[in-house]
Amino acid sequence: MKKKVLVIDSTLRDGSHAISHQFTREHVASYAKAAEIAKTQILIVGHGNGLGASSLHLGFSLLSDTEYLKYAKKELHRTKLGAFLIPGFGTITDIEEAIQNGAEVLMVASHCTEATITRQHIEFSVKKGLRTFGVLMMSHMAKAEILLEEAKKMQDYGAFGVLLMDSAGTCLPDEVTEKISVLTQGLHIETGFHAHNNLGMAVANSIAAVKAGATIIDATSRGMGAGAGNCQLEVVVAVLEKMGIKTGLDLYQLMDNSENIISKIQNSPSINSITLTSGLAGVFSGFAPHAKRAAERFGLDPRDVLMELGKRKVVAGQEDKIIQIALELSRTKS
Amino acid sequence: MIKKVKTGIIGTGNIGSDLLVKILRSPVLECGIFTGINPKSKNIKRAQKMGVPTAYDSINAIINNPDSCEIVFDATSAKIHTEHAPILKKLKKFTIDLTPSKVGKLCVPSVNLKACLEEDNVNMITCGAQATIPIINALMKAQHQTGYVEIVSSISSQSAGIGTRSNIDEYTRLTSEAIMELTFVPKAKAIVILNPSDPPIHMQNTIYAKIHTSDITLIQKEIFAAVKRLKKYVPGFALLHKPIVQNGMLVIISEVTGRGDYLPAFAGNLDVMNSAAVRVAEEYAKKRLL
């Protein structure tokens, strides 16, 4: 299997969950510069939940969307700058601003069964000439056939590729193989995968996706990200190289970026009792810190909160449900 | 026999079909025309069975038969309403717009009903706005200096029709603009989330506000009074708990249970929007019938 895989670097976007969206101007500038040296093709930046998502609900980012884009853009020449957007949080106005600040790539994401809400945004982005990807989040919650239907909608809107996101870090490689195979066979555009590491499967799942036909992998340096973290960029690139699959990236430089820049911003993400439970429960990885806070506030075991969230099939974005469920659990307890 | 004022509904999707049931129940309103674009529409057949005059040439049914209604509910889409608005104005119809077109005066009955009755076109904003602006207004009364408010509306996927989905951008922007305009909070943000859970979730709205006090007695008092006013026309509205404070942030979570007029009770989003629209129409009708 000799082929090429596009590895998208989402460190300065998804990684920000790990530090409550507090990347500084210096972080952005130093990492963007280093990503350029590593021959990164696409670097996504901004609030962890994308354009327009800085809020009381999800947490405010230290800098604005505009600032993140501008500071990264300054350092980039060949590497394309990208943004991420979830309709319902971000709007077309945010896309326009992102374009003014140098964005050339946009990832538009929705819950895996709600692709219709991405139409306005994907169509607008494509019309403006951005390389536009559709992302189906929480993809463990829908069967392969449904995911294909939803991905086809994104294809019709003009997306260049569609990525499945294992937002809960709950998928096992067999499931990834099945779903990505169905997508690659049913779509005429590229397919990709974004893994979370709650069950220690992020790299294995990304490789399973590539073997099943995916040509895009979304990863972060050192695996920086919410909870147990994401697919570790330098590791997945090393594995791909070992398999003889080209990424065009400078592996040593990626290793250096991880050790010299990212390790100084945050300790490596780890699988602990909370992030592991979150993966088992099939709950969006970004919920972990919120569940921990709410559990403290109401005197509960955060694992009970997470398991309950999983039972109720709460979707990403419903961080308010955490407080409500914690409140209810504390009532039944007392 | 009690006289009723005739209304017309353009748009036969979720919103229009739910609205029809509410109008037929009203003591002062009746439906003179229920008009869409699809002759095969199940909802048009349903209306016919209910004895309601129907058409499938959209606004033309009203242009060709202006006597069919005095009040028009437009439940199409933001884009289409901008085309309908000047026509309805010319026909001198009191227009209640259920799309996020922003053509007419923004209206939340428990906040600014009287002023809206003087207009020829009122806009019902969005379901998220109808369910949160009365509460935010109460918060602002108690805490003038509140500088930032945010709302998150979660609605079940099953209750979000294609109109809502293809207007999600207008929805988000208009909701935040309306919060600022009607409650005078300097900055507001609206977030909307579609939840595909099965069984479907009831419409839920969370309001977050940065506040400068830990004593929320007055805030609670105003909010409880506002809930009482809102429940008069949206009986399914309920706070899920008393407002709580967490790290200098006020959190108010509410739910709207629908009446189950068209979609089942989970579709509180339809109910809050349409109950508000019917409230405006009824007050207008009462003035006309005086």
Side-chain angles (χ1 to χ4, degrees):
Chain A
M1 187 173 53
K2 297 265 175 202
K3 60 173 188 176
K4 256 197 105 167
V5 167
L6 164 67
V7 181
I8 297 177
D9 184 342
S10 288
T11 310
L12 294 179
R13 194 275 300 172
D14 213 11
S16 81
H17 280 288
I19 50 166
S20 306
H21 319 288
Q22 301 300 299
F23 277 127
T24 64
R25 179 178 183 164
E26 292 68 38
H27 292 153
V28 173
S30 60
Y31 189 80
K33 198 172 185 176
E36 170 88 27
I37 299 170
K39 302 197 175 74
T40 303
Q41 291 187 51
I42 297 174
L43 180 69
I44 312 282
V45 307
H47 187 283
N49 300 72
L51 299 173
S54 180
S55 57
L56 286 170
H57 182 58
L58 299 174
F60 286 109
S61 49
L62 180 67
L63 307 176
S64 66
D65 294 331
T66 296
E67 288 170 309
Y68 282 124
L69 288 161
K70 262 209 242 166
Y71 298 149
K73 185 72 182 176
K74 262 191 180 167
E75 310 297 333
L76 302 181
H77 308 283
R78 296 181 60 182
T79 301
K80 287 191 163 45
L81 177 65
F84 184 91
L85 176 135
I86 306 173
F89 288 89
T91 63
I92 286 170
T93 316
D94 297 317
I95 304 177
E96 282 171 331
E97 277 172 27
I99 295 172
Q100 281 162 17
N101 292 303
E104 296 168 274
V105 175
L106 184 69
M107 300 176 95
V108 183
S110 75
H111 181 81
C112 60
T113 52
E114 309 302 317
T116 46
I117 66 167
T118 64
R119 196 187 85 187
Q120 282 181 302
H121 309 81
I122 292 181
E123 286 179 351
F124 180 83
S125 174
V126 170
K127 203 172 81 192
K128 291 287 171 182
L130 274 72
R131 174 137 297 190
T132 310
F133 298 92
V135 178
L136 295 169
M137 301 189 292
M138 297 289 281
S139 58
H140 72 285
M141 286 176 88
K143 289 197 177 103
E145 296 68 36
I146 305 281
L147 294 173
L148 176 60
E149 264 175 45
E150 297 296 303
K152 275 185 175 165
K153 290 176 192 165
M154 290 172 155
Q155 174 175 281
D156 289 347
Y157 306 153
F160 177 81
V162 175
L163 286 83
L164 294 185
M165 193 179 264
D166 179 18
S167 317
T170 195
C171 283
L172 301 182
D174 284 350
E175 184 181 343
V176 178
T177 304
E178 187 215 343
K179 288 178 171 172
I180 291 289
S181 304
V182 169
L183 251 59
T184 46
Q185 282 157 28
L187 298 174
H188 58 74
I189 55 172
E190 311 274 316
T191 58
F193 198 74
H194 170 109
H196 282 191
N197 203 36
N198 299 65
L199 300 181
M201 289 287 153
V203 173
N205 282 343
S206 302
I207 296 301
V210 170
K211 281 183 154 177
T215 50
I216 308 163
I217 289 300
D218 194 30
T220 64
S221 181
R222 228 172 173 75
M224 191 177 189
N230 297 318
C231 176
Q232 191 167 345
L233 177 65
E234 57 280 18
V235 178
V236 78
V237 169
V239 176
L240 288 169
E241 300 275 316
K242 187 170 179 181
M243 292 167 68
I245 296 169
K246 295 219 165 15
T247 62
L249 295 164
D250 180 337
L251 180 58
Y252 276 13
Q253 183 65 40
L254 292 179
M255 293 174 180
D256 292 345
N257 296 352
S258 162
E259 280 176 11
N260 301 336
I261 302 170
I262 300 302
S263 75
K264 296 195 172 109
I265 300 174
Q266 198 231 355
N267 297 330
S268 293
S270 69
I271 303 174
N272 56 39
S273 66
I274 294 179
T275 57
L276 180 58
T277 310
S278 161
L280 268 182
V283 168
F284 171 52
S285 308
F287 280 8
H290 298 266
K292 215 172 150 186
R293 265 201 304 278
E296 269 165 30
R297 165 88 164 70
F298 296 103
L300 299 162
D301 185 331
R303 289 174 294 190
D304 291 338
V305 178
L306 288 164
M307 289 309 277
E308 188 61 28
L309 285 162
K311 264 187 226 158
R312 302 213 198 166
K313 295 187 181 152
V314 169
V315 305
Q318 280 192 292
E319 276 74 351
D320 48 345
K321 266 279 178 205
I322 303 171
I323 300 177
Q324 190 201 330
I325 284 171
L327 196 69
E328 285 173 25
L329 286 177
S330 71
R331 272 187 199 145
T332 32
K333 227 179 93 182
S334 60
Chain B
M1 190 179 146
I2 309 160
K3 229 176 125 36
K4 290 187 175 185
V5 173
K6 279 188 186 163
T7 67
I9 301 173
I10 315 175
T12 58
N14 288 348
I15 289 268
S17 300
D18 180 79
L19 203 48
L20 179 61
V21 181
K22 290 177 166 54
I23 288 165
L24 296 180
R25 193 165 50 218
S26 168
V28 289
L29 304 174
E30 62 186 319
C31 185
I33 186 74
F34 183 72
T35 178
I37 46 168
N38 180 6
K40 285 184 194 143
S41 153
K42 274 189 298 194
N43 292 340
I44 290 187
K45 289 208 175 78
R46 180 173 161 273
Q48 282 166 349
K49 278 190 194 146
M50 294 159 101
V52 173
T54 62
Y56 46 86
D57 53 352
S58 190
I59 196 172
N60 292 323
I62 297 171
I63 298 172
N64 298 334
N65 181 12
D67 294 334
S68 60
C69 55
E70 271 185 65
I71 301 172
V72 174
F73 294 94
D74 193 336
T76 57
S77 73
K79 208 174 154 191
I80 297 175
H81 183 70
T82 49
E83 293 161 20
H84 286 175
I87 303 172
L88 294 168
K89 193 181 165 79
K90 221 171 144 192
L91 290 169
K92 294 198 166 61
K93 302 296 175 200
F94 179 64
T95 301
I96 301 173
D97 175 20
L98 292 122
T99 78
S101 77
K102 220 189 149 188
V103 172
K105 188 179 174 73
L106 302 179
C107 175
V108 174
S110 71
V111 175
N112 68 344
L113 178 61
K114 264 194 186 146
C116 292
L117 297 176
E118 307 302 320
E119 302 286 321
D120 48 35
N121 186 325
V122 297
N123 182 277
M124 301 315 295
I125 324 171
T126 61
C127 54
Q130 291 298 339
T132 57
I133 287 178
I135 310 298
I136 300 169
N137 196 48
L139 164 67
M140 294 303 289
K141 261 192 207 164
Q143 283 273 303
H144 305 281
Q145 65 273 53
T146 307
Y148 178 71
V149 170
E150 196 174 289
I151 73 142
V152 182
S153 294
S154 302
I155 60 176
S156 69
S157 299
Q158 290 88 331
S159 68
I162 198 69
T164 307
R165 288 163 185 269
S166 53
N167 276 330
I168 189 159
D169 221 66
E170 288 81 354
Y171 181 108
T172 334
R173 279 182 290 178
L174 181 60
T175 307
S176 49
E177 282 170 33
I179 294 171
M180 292 186 269
E181 191 175 319
L182 295 182
T183 73
F184 304 106
V185 67
K187 200 163 175 251
K189 178 170 181 65
I191 294 168
V192 60
I193 293 162
L194 267 59
N195 184 319
S197 295
D198 193 20
I201 57 151
H202 286 210
M203 185 207 197
Q204 182 167 316
N205 296 285
T206 299
I207 300 168
Y208 299 97
K210 276 185 180 168
I211 55 167
H212 305 279
T213 171
S214 53
D215 179 13
I216 58 167
T217 330
L218 181 62
I219 296 176
Q220 288 198 344
K221 203 181 135 213
E222 288 289 352
I223 288 177
F224 294 150
V227 170
K228 220 173 146 187
R229 282 195 297 275
L230 179 58
K231 274 175 95 80
K232 274 189 189 153
Y233 62 93
V234 190
F237 183 92
L239 295 181
L240 285 183
H241 57 77
K242 282 185 184 171
I244 58 168
V245 182
Q246 190 178 330
N247 312 326
M249 176 171 88
L250 183 73
V251 186
I252 310 158
I253 308 180
S254 64
E255 192 176 81
V256 189
T257 304
R259 282 194 174 193
D261 288 335
Y262 173 64
L263 289 181
F266 62 76
N269 44 318
L270 290 189
D271 225 68
V272 70
M273 187 77 174
N274 284 343
S275 302
V278 168
R279 169 106 172 104
V280 177
E282 285 183 336
E283 287 309 304
Y284 181 86
K286 281 180 199 161
K287 265 178 71 181
R288 284 278 297 106
L289 294 172
L290 271 182

